[in-house]
Amino acid sequence: MTRARRQPTQVLPPAMSRRYATYAPVPSGKGSGSSGLEEPITDVGGYDDLLDALERRGVDIDVSRAGLVELDAVLDALPRGLERAVGMYFGDVVIRCLPGSRWKVVREGRPCVEVAGGASADVIAVAESRLAGGPHTLIEVLDHLDELAGRNA
């Protein structure tokens, strides 16, 4: 008797964040213009657990460079298990701070942000490195991506 092979389950994307799941146009107004294509997604969310952990500590951040600096300052005091949430927040900050940046998925479950000029960063890997005591803060990675894009954030 042969056993039936179990079909792999389909991995669905995580539910959108209840606070920052907006699909807003790029702030600079750049986009596809008359080509009829949709504007790039600027906020994908996925970091409610991070915001909740910060709120419990009395910290309220927005999706900005200043918010990233504030997160970097308290990150070591937060509970473990927030790598994905930190990565998604970091990615949304990159998209907002660096014009021409966009979300992309290179591998399922591993979202990246691509900056002008084509350089990209795996946002989950950036967060994992930072939370594991890596050598670079999130703001340093943002500044590095900005240099690769040829601007200053």
Side-chain angles (χ1 to χ4, degrees):
M1 176 169 154
T2 17
R3 298 184 100 175
R5 285 191 159 186
R6 187 173 175 191
Q7 294 297 320
T9 57
Q10 180 181 7
V11 178
L12 300 175
M16 295 305 289
S17 167
R18 67 180 180 263
R19 287 181 250 188
Y20 290 101
T22 58
Y23 290 91
V26 174
S28 67
K30 292 183 179 178
S32 56
S34 62
S35 69
L37 298 175
E38 293 181 22
E39 296 284 339
I41 297 169
T42 55
D43 290 335
V44 297
Y47 39 89
D48 282 339
D49 292 343
L50 172 64
L51 297 176
D52 292 342
L54 290 168
E55 283 177 13
R56 285 191 293 278
R57 297 194 174 292
V59 177
D60 185 29
I61 61 173
D62 60 358
V63 185
S64 67
R65 180 182 175 83
L68 193 61
V69 169
E70 200 168 342
L71 174 61
D72 253 334
V74 299
L75 200 56
D76 294 330
L78 295 178
R80 297 296 140 218
L82 293 173
E83 291 83 358
R84 184 165 190 80
V86 169
M88 298 308 288
Y89 172 79
F90 173 73
D92 275 353
V93 171
V94 171
I95 298 299
R96 284 183 174 227
C97 290
L98 305 181
S101 301
R102 67 184 182 98
W103 281 102
K104 71 180 203 174
V105 176
V106 176
R107 265 187 352 224
E108 187 173 331
R110 299 303 290 204
C112 292
V113 290
E114 181 179 76
V115 298
S120 64
D122 177 332
V123 296
I124 308 302
V126 168
E128 289 169 344
S129 173
R130 172 62 178 88
L131 288 165
H136 303 290
T137 64
L138 296 174
I139 203 68
E140 289 172 337
V141 177
L142 174 67
D143 289 344
H144 179 68
L145 289 171
D146 190 36
E147 288 174 20
L148 292 174
R151 283 182 299 280
N152 292 317

